Amino acid sequence: MKCYNLLIISNDIYDSGDILYLFEDLKNKLLSYLTTEQVDRIAQAFVTARNAHEGQTRSSGEPYITHPVAVATILADMHMDTETIMAALLHDVVEDTPINQEQLEQLFGPTITNLVNGVTKLDKLQFRDHKEAQAENFRKMIMAMTSDIRVILIKLADRTHNMRTIDALRPDKRRRIARETLEIFAPIANRLGIYSVKKELQDLGFKAMYPMRYRVLKEAVKKARNNRNEIINSILEDIKGRLSETDIKSRVLGREKQLYSIYLKMVHKECQFHEIMDVYGFRVIVENVDNCYRVLGHMHNLFKPRPGAFKDYIAIPKINGYQSLHTSLIGPHGVPIEIQIRTEYMDQMADQGVAAHWYYKEKGSESVNSTAQIHAQRWLKNLLELQQSAGNSFEFIESVKSDLFPEEIYVFTPEGKIFELPIGATPVDFAYAIHSDIGQRCIGARVDHHPFPLNRPLASGQSVEILTSPLAKPNAMWLNSVVTSKARSKIRQYLKSLRIEECQLLGKRLLKNAIGNIRIEDLPAEHIRHVLSEFGKKNLDELYTDIALGNIYTVIAANKLLNRENMDTPIGTVPHATITPSAINGTGGLSYVYANCCHPIPGDPIIAHINPGKGLVIHNQNCLNIKELSTKSAKFLNVSWDLSNACNCVFDAALRIEIKNHQGILGEISNAVSVAGANIEGISSEEREGQIYMINLIVTVRDRIHLADIIRKIKAIPNVIKVARKKA
Ligand code: MN
């Protein structure tokens, strides 16, 4: 048994000889943007990883530690933070060496351990299905189950280095990894806007997948480029010459075409090779947005623009945040020219996407907080479609992730097949998603090999096994927890198929169960009649039937009968176990959501609308939608705020803001919200007339006092005409 040096004394770090050649380059890179103390912490991670991987080698024969160092170097080039670099150095330690999770946590703390675990978890996911449809699911799932987007960045760097060294592997393994890279990882890099990584993964994947085509195409491109050098240089001189006559500071570059994108164009669009190569690409990088448009004007004046070919991705960014102006022109002797015009910042974003966030956080002389805020404002403008904003790094990560795939979870069958379900889905939903018969015969579930309640929501990444019995029947109680329409309608269908007497018996049993020791027959007849009329039922049998069919909640019927309007504690069986303390009193344990029309917050008068099969929807009592609904009291439940629990929650509030359009005003509003200690959850705008716009903003607040403060701060902004809470 080997003894591993786990406890590191800082003097020890620079002692070993091999550090000099393995760590030195990385260290110099890190020192260009991190402090000496931060680099020292990273050095400790390096020593731990090196000791742990001692004696292991890569397929190429090199010491194993060269791999984590290479991965960390890729991330250092993106200026990623200390924790990411440390986790990159340690990323294979838990999986491949005797060091376990607890030891790692002891040495480096929970954040780095979580990052390493995240990467390890992704490693275990095998690309099981070669169908394209599954590939898209798989990409989404990887994103959804990763709680910290830095895990994906480490994984992308890991894959990049593995692709760079793929020649050392067996051909069959090479092809599998190459395909996975092209179908899964390159699109993830693209979705996150990290163009430099996407490009490298694609070219390496292409080379490993189709070595012959790669070689032929590469030769052809090289030859074509040599023949065209003269034209490229003369156009470059024309562009530079024109810009030097202005006061615009700029860099002008000739753009190389990516091999894989040439290949795809030839395959999909059936373009001829020379048609693709005969388009000359250039990029002009300037200092600010105004100059982008000025350069555009000069270019359109220098060469004749092709009508309809101009794209303004500055005003309307691509979904991954990409910004630039694109235009196509007709150059000297009729050669087609494409020019991209953008700022340095946009160029950085185009190259590094999400990762640029850390780059800009580390850079700059202002404090991290204010750069992060400037960044937040830029994102708000850039990614309006994604409806996101960011206050600090953590929120940024969270908002990117939840914006990508907000409402879905991904779970596995024991065989590894992926199912996409809405958030909140239970094992019963999952059972019906596999097959209606499985749903109908379902009696229990095991999640990640442990017993799991049928009414508890599943989480992404879990593997779910459904236990069935040929004699089992759907349970009416499931209607309280399922969220998919398939499960709901199949359960109802079954309940309707029951004979009427069976329904009455089932309903009676459910109701008895809910009211406990009291016998219905003992309740005053007058009271029973009153309750029946509230529900619009002629007799108890009708009530039983509706309970069995899931049209009336058992708990609510029971509480009406027992005269318990305000249900502080759930009685009888609890249909929906709530784990977090509830901010609402009187729900009787039923699950509830806040209405999207009036967005009630603590302090507002509220009422619960009972939506059979869906649960309770908490509305503001003054909500117009409530007024429109029938005034039948059986459809409503009196509820109140539990202020002691509510103070630990945040709520969404909707604001309508009337503004006079003016550059930067969105930034100022986002700033005001963040100064007030709140986040923007959603934003949309509509044009009123002329320069007047209406902005709908969803902000997170603690209570009415907090909201009042936010409103006051927004009102103080010049050009804001009116701020009001949206009522419905
Ligand atoms: Mn690795």
Side-chain angles (χ1 to χ4, degrees), residues 64 67 91-92 158 162:
Y64 196 88
H67 167 64
H91 80 268
D92 280 329
D158 178 44
N162 286 337

Side-chain angles (χ1 to χ4, degrees), residues 58 64 67-68 71 91-92 96 119 123 155 158-159 162:
R58 301 266 293 166
Y64 196 88
H67 167 64
V71 173
H91 80 268
D92 280 329
D96 299 336
V119 179
D123 280 340
K155 184 66 205 169
D158 178 44
R159 180 50 63 109
N162 286 337

